[in-house]
Structures are given as C-alpha cells and as structure tokens.
Amino acid sequence: MIKLLRVIVVFLMFRIDWRKLFLVCSILTIGSVLIQISSLPYPLTEWISPPQPAISFYKPLNTAVHLGQSQSLTVGIQLESVQDAPVVVSVNSSAKLNETIVISKKRKRVSQRRRRSNTAKSINMVSPSSPPRILKKLPSHIERYISSLTPDEALAFAKRDIENSSLPSDDDPELYAPLFQNISTFKRSYEWMELLLKPHLTGIYSSEGWFMKLMEENRQFVTKDPEKAHLFYLPYSARQLQMALYVPNSHNLKPLAVFLRDHVNMLAVKYPFWNRTHGLDHFLVACHDWGPYTLKEHKELFGNTIKALCNADVSERIFISGKDVSLPETTIRDPRRPHRNIGGKRVSQRPILAFFAGNRHGRVRPTLLKYWSDKDDDMRIYGPLPSRVSRLMSYPQHMKSSKYCICPMGFEVNSPRIVEAIYYECVPVIIADNFVPPLNDVLNWDAFSVIVAEKDIPKLKEILLAIPFRRYLIMQTNVKMLQKHFLWNAKPVPYDLFHMILHSIWSSRLNQIQIPQPSYVQFRFVCAFVSVISL
C-alpha cells in the first residue's frame, strides 16, 4: 500500500501543481487510514472506532432468542483445519446479529404487552411461571448468520461470547451455582453446545455403554452429513476388543492397540475428515481400564484425539489434563431402572463417620486396610464386605448411613464408588494421587468432596474430624444437588450425565480454537503509516 501511494505521489509531482498534490495526498491519507482500520481484528477496531454493543445471547434467552432444544438448528457449514490460520469472525456480521436481537426483543415485548392486556383478568390469581430455559427455534436472521460461518468460525464466535458471559447465578433453577467453578461460563457454553454441536458417527457402530447407546439414538446433536459436523465420534469398545483379542493371562495389550491403529488408518484412507485436522476434531469414549493403553500404536490418535476416559491418570502421560475428558465410572445394575435405589438417609441418621469395602488390590487399598481395618468403630473399613456384616447391613445401606464414603483407587485411579457415593448422598473421599476427577473442567470438587493424599492415609480420621460440621452439611447438601448431573436417563434430559460428558468434549474442542488477539505490532504499524503519509 505504501509503495503504491509513493508511486502515485511521484507521478503526480510531474503532472499537477503543489495545491492539487496536497489535496490528493490528503484524500489518499484519509482513505488509506480507513482501509487499515477496517481491516484490523475485531478487538483492535474497538480502540479506534466506536464500540459495537456486546453480543449477548443471555437476555434474548428469555424472550426471542434461545439456544438449542429438540428442534435445534442443523447448521450447514464446512469443516476447516484449526492449524492453518487463526479464525476471524466478521465485525459487520456481529453488528447485524446485535441489531437482529434488539429488533426481536422489541417485537417480543410488544406481543407480550398485547397478550397481557387481553388476558389480565384470567391471570390475577396465578403466579407467573418461570421463564422458559430455551426456545424451540431461532429467528431466521440469526439462523442465516450462523449458517454462513464455517464450523471453526462458529466455534470461535461461540468461544468469544462464552468468555464474555456474565449470567446471573440464579438464572436457571435446574443448576446449583456452588457446584460449579463458574456457572456463568458453563451455562453459556452449554447453550452454545446445544445450538452448534453436531458430532458425526463413523466406523463400526458397536456399543460402549450408555454413552454410545444414547449418542446413536440422539437426534439433536447427531448429523448424517459430515460437512455439518463440528466433531467426529469414534465409537469403539475397549471391552469388546479385550473379549475378542486379548489372550488371557498374557498381559499383552498390543494386539488391541494394533487393531485400533489399523481401524483408524482405514478411516483415514476411506474418508477425508481425519486427515484435515489429523484427528483434532475426533473423539472417543472408553471407560475400561485398558482404554488408554489401546491408543499407543497410533501417534495422532494418541496425541490429537479428544479422549473421554475413566482411567484419567496424568502420571501415565496418556490422559492430557485440559484436553482430554475425565469420565465418571458408573455401575448400573438394572438398565431398565437406572435410578433404582438412589437416595440416602438424612444427616441425623448417618452414625458412621467413614465407610469402605472392596477388594485389596492396587497400591492404596492395602495401606488403607493396614491402618484402619477393624481399628475404630467410627471407621468402617473392610476388604470385601464380610458376611457377618452384610447380614445386618448391605453395602448400599452402609453408604446411605455414612457421612463420608472412602473412594481409594484400585489397579487404576478411578473408582465407581465416587458416583455411588453421590447416588447415596454420601460425601466422597477420594484417595488417588495423579487422578483428575470426573468433569473437573466445570465442576468444583472442593464443594462436595474431600481429596486426601495417599501419604495422609494414617491421618484419615483426623482429617475428617477436622472438617467443621457446618462445612460437612454444605458438602452433603451439594452432593444431593449434584446427583442429577451423574444420572443416566433412557431419554436424555438437560444437564444429565450424557449431556455433561458431551459438554466436556465440546469444551475441549472449543479450547483448541484460536481467537485472534489485538496485535500491538499492527497498531504501531498503522500509527507509523498515518504519520508517514501525513508528512
């Protein structure tokens, strides 16, 4: 641009007088500055031009714009690699979206006033209902805007909005704020997930528990058109691989890893989607202990794919905290009635301080039993629950009658006792160094659990007794409020375990998206450019 202007100025010096030259230079200076400003990234333009109203999907959520639900959009956009270049979202498009939202709000208010005036007599004795959580369909203007973005642009747009969210903590009666690290961020992120997320099913459609079953039956998040997908689901079962390929007592998991490697290589040859991002936008869900070890033979699967794993052990350097998802390990004894026996006794009917019963395997449980088995009436610590004890009180009854439920790691870091404790309204006490608790990207585990270092097992009772009773009451209440987020439902409902896992996967993908930051170099360049041309 500077070279072109210099050429024009030199040319004009031989053609016109100095007055005309000064006029032309002034016009060129103003025009070039406007061009440079308009081409700057969105945050930088706010420093120079008047700021546009902040994009907010929260206020319209109770009026004209609500994100997601069963009739959510199928957004026709194409995948792009996040490795090529930072994603830039048009500032003008954002302004149009703001204008659309304001118009929609005004129209909605007018229609609401008309309805209130026509039905005032009939609602005098009825308290107003709570605002709906989400609307069935977005206005067509916003549909068209979002559908004009590529998946990465849509994710970048959502990420910027999520980072700037400031929803009131009591906005949604279905959510309990103390359970979350930042409920405003989670709420906004969850709404965007409902609107945008479209995982695509690929590969062999076998079953890996409830998640795979519900994902295959889902119509809100699944699309059959891969060009509309934000994520690609790799539905494989580590358990089925074990049953089919593992030689008993061989301690050799390589045949399972080789099979999975060859399967992913087949997908990469047959379909173009893996190669576009080298697996960055693919995810898998595996709860078997061996799930992480079956990934080692494929470098991209191991390093790039989002892994939702029950065996979330950072010391193994397979699970990557911040990228991968820690999966809750759940035990469902009756698939037709997954909520059977859930609940617990009130605090006054929990005379046992702490309870554990389980097999003596791994490095932690032998130490736990050494210090506390049959040592203290307040600490009901057993190996397998003895028959003399189970005849009087079953395993679930023990958990329902205990203040704290001890959840030590076994061979691997996770334990189904964590979720069982939540089901039975018992505060979980997690003993597993290097373990990333389930859904830790959004949940505040300090609010409803106790984490004890393995070296502090000898001081376990002292640690529990040091917790003030008031603090225990808060944690136990939070556990009850947390239950809904750890429940499987035959038909998924908002914020249940299926949606929470899916949100964590969505959030992991969102974190990969890079939003352009204001460039100090670009700003200084524009200032220097203006100064040079103005001389």
Side-chain angles (χ1 to χ4, degrees):
M1 187 68 180
I2 294 177
K3 291 182 179 179
L4 177 61
L5 290 174
R6 287 177 177 173
V7 171
I8 294 174
V9 170
V10 172
F11 176 79
L12 291 176
M13 288 177 64
F14 295 96
R15 295 290 180 177
I16 58 178
D17 58 26
W18 286 100
R19 292 182 180 179
K20 293 182 179 180
L21 177 60
F22 177 80
L23 178 62
V24 171
C25 289
S26 300
I27 295 173
L28 290 175
T29 299
I30 295 172
S32 62
V33 171
L34 292 176
I35 292 173
Q36 290 291 329
I37 291 176
S38 64
S39 65
L40 290 175
Y42 169 69
L44 192 57
T45 57
E46 288 188 321
W47 302 345
I48 303 172
S49 59
Q52 298 291 339
I55 299 171
S56 174
F57 275 99
Y58 167 63
K59 291 184 178 179
L61 282 178
N62 292 333
T63 53
V65 181
H66 296 273
L67 306 182
Q69 213 179 35
S70 57
Q71 300 182 14
S72 62
L73 293 177
T74 302
V75 183
I77 46 185
Q78 185 174 0
L79 286 167
E80 297 290 346
S81 172
V82 299
Q83 296 177 332
D84 296 336
V87 180
V88 180
V89 181
S90 169
V91 179
N92 294 332
S93 299
S94 301
K96 291 179 181 178
L97 182 58
N98 280 307
E99 182 181 354
T100 301
I101 294 174
V102 173
I103 293 172
S104 300
K105 284 184 63 178
K106 290 181 179 178
R107 291 176 179 173
K108 186 71 175 181
R109 288 173 180 170
V110 171
S111 62
Q112 286 177 342
R113 284 198 297 269
R114 290 175 180 173
R115 284 198 298 270
R116 284 198 296 268
S117 62
N118 293 333
T119 61
K121 293 181 180 180
S122 63
I123 63 173
N124 282 337
M125 303 302 295
V126 180
S127 60
S129 59
S130 59
R133 188 180 66 83
I134 41 183
L135 194 69
K136 293 182 179 180
K137 191 174 178 62
L138 287 172
S140 58
H141 323 31
I142 300 177
E143 285 188 26
R144 288 196 296 270
Y145 170 71
I146 294 178
S147 64
S148 69
L149 304 177
T150 67
D152 282 356
E153 288 174 338
L155 292 176
F157 186 86
K159 183 175 181 179
R160 178 156 49 202
D161 184 65
I162 291 166
E163 291 175 349
N164 296 326
S165 66
S166 58
L167 306 184
S169 60
D170 58 349
D171 167 59
D172 195 328
E174 297 183 56
L175 295 177
Y176 186 57
L179 301 178
F180 296 87
Q181 297 177 21
N182 187 320
I183 193 170
S184 297
T185 301
F186 168 72
K187 184 70 165 60
R188 183 64 60 83
S189 179
Y190 188 94
E191 290 172 343
W192 273 110
M193 178 196 74
E194 289 188 314
L195 172 65
L196 293 181
L197 186 57
K198 293 285 180 267
H200 180 63
L201 299 179
T202 61
I204 301 173
Y205 302 126
S206 56
S207 176
E208 180 73 5
W210 277 81
F211 184 88
M212 186 178 296
K213 171 185 179 295
L214 296 177
M215 177 59 76
E216 289 183 346
E217 295 173 355
N218 194 274
R219 293 295 175 267
Q220 178 178 358
F221 297 111
V222 174
T223 175
K224 294 182 179 180
D225 184 356
E227 298 299 334
K228 297 177 180 178
H230 296 87
L231 284 166
F232 292 82
Y233 179 31
L234 296 172
Y236 92 105
S237 170
R239 172 65 173 166
Q240 289 187 355
L241 285 180
Q242 177 223 355
M243 295 175 63
L245 300 175
Y246 179 69
V247 178
N249 301 319
S250 68
H251 306 289
N252 181 15
L253 303 184
K254 188 169 182 178
L256 287 68
V258 169
F259 180 90
L260 186 58
R261 177 200 67 192
D262 294 343
H263 174 67
V264 173
N265 286 337
M266 179 273 294
L267 294 177
V269 171
K270 189 174 182 180
Y271 303 102
F273 312 111
W274 180 278
N275 297 323
R276 287 196 297 197
T277 63
H278 302 282
L280 285 171
D281 55 2
H282 288 60
F283 74 95
L284 55 88
V285 176
C287 200
H288 193 276
D289 285 350
W290 293 352
Y293 311 120
T294 63
L295 312 174
K296 287 187 172 182
E297 291 295 318
H298 196 290
K299 183 177 179 180
E300 292 178 349
L301 181 68
F302 180 86
N304 297 345
T305 301
I306 299 170
K307 304 180 287 293
L309 303 172
C310 285
N311 191 2
D313 186 346
V314 292
S315 68
E316 297 280 354
R317 298 188 178 182
I318 299 174
F319 181 92
I320 303 173
S321 183
K323 180 184 80 70
D324 296 328
V325 174
S326 180
L327 198 65
E329 189 170 322
T330 58
T331 301
I332 304 296
R333 292 177 173 82
D334 187 352
R336 293 171 297 180
R337 293 187 295 171
H339 300 173
R340 182 187 179 189
N341 213 24
I342 287 178
K345 296 180 181 180
R346 65 183 64 180
V347 172
S348 61
Q349 297 176 334
R350 293 177 176 265
I352 304 171
L353 177 63
F355 167 72
F356 167 78
N359 292 325
R360 188 191 296 259
H361 56 241
R363 67 173 184 264
V364 171
R365 296 185 187 183
T367 305
L368 178 67
L369 293 171
K370 171 186 174 182
Y371 281 96
W372 296 109
S373 179
D374 295 323
K375 297 291 195 306
D376 194 310
D377 289 340
D378 290 334
M379 305 287 287
R380 305 287 180 89
I381 307 298
Y382 307 98
L385 194 63
S387 57
R388 60 178 172 82
V389 177
S390 62
R391 283 196 297 266
L392 300 175
M393 187 182 293
S394 67
Y395 181 89
Q397 288 172 337
H398 270 89
M399 298 192 85
K400 292 184 178 188
S401 302
S402 300
K403 292 181 176 65
Y404 298 96
C405 289
I406 311 301
C407 307
M409 65 175 289
F411 286 127
E412 306 296 346
V413 291
N414 206 344
S415 168
R417 287 168 183 78
I418 297 174
V419 178
E420 287 175 344
I422 294 170
Y423 285 171
Y424 299 140
E425 301 172 5
C426 180
V427 175
V429 178
I430 301 172
I431 308 177
D433 294 351
N434 306 312
F435 175 49
V436 178
L439 310 177
N440 74 307
D441 56 314
V442 294
L443 295 180
N444 177 18
W445 280 82
D446 290 335
F448 50 81
S449 71
V450 179
I451 298 178
V452 176
E454 296 174 18
K455 66 180 179 60
D456 292 332
I457 289 176
K459 300 186 295 184
L460 183 56
K461 183 177 180 180
E462 179 184 344
I463 291 171
L464 298 180
L465 290 177
I467 299 173
F469 184 67
R470 188 185 198 87
R471 171 65 181 159
Y472 165 75
L473 287 178
I474 293 173
M475 288 194 293
Q476 204 266 344
T477 299
N478 289 346
V479 167
K480 291 191 286 187
M481 301 300 294
L482 184 71
Q483 276 181 353
K484 62 163 44 175
H485 302 305
F486 282 81
L487 294 177
W488 292 111
N489 295 284
K491 185 176 181 180
V493 300
Y495 307 121
D496 67 359
L497 187 52
F498 171 75
H499 286 93
M500 294 296 287
I501 294 170
L502 197 58
H503 175 268
S504 289
I505 295 168
W506 145 271
S507 180
S508 176
R509 172 62 178 145
L510 208 60
N511 289 337
Q512 298 173 2
I513 301 298
Q514 300 297 319
I515 299 178
Q517 298 297 321
S519 173
Y520 179 74
V521 174
Q522 285 181 306
F523 183 70
R524 289 297 302 272
F525 172 78
V526 172
C527 294
F529 174 81
V530 173
S531 300
V532 170
I533 297 298
S534 300
L535 292 176

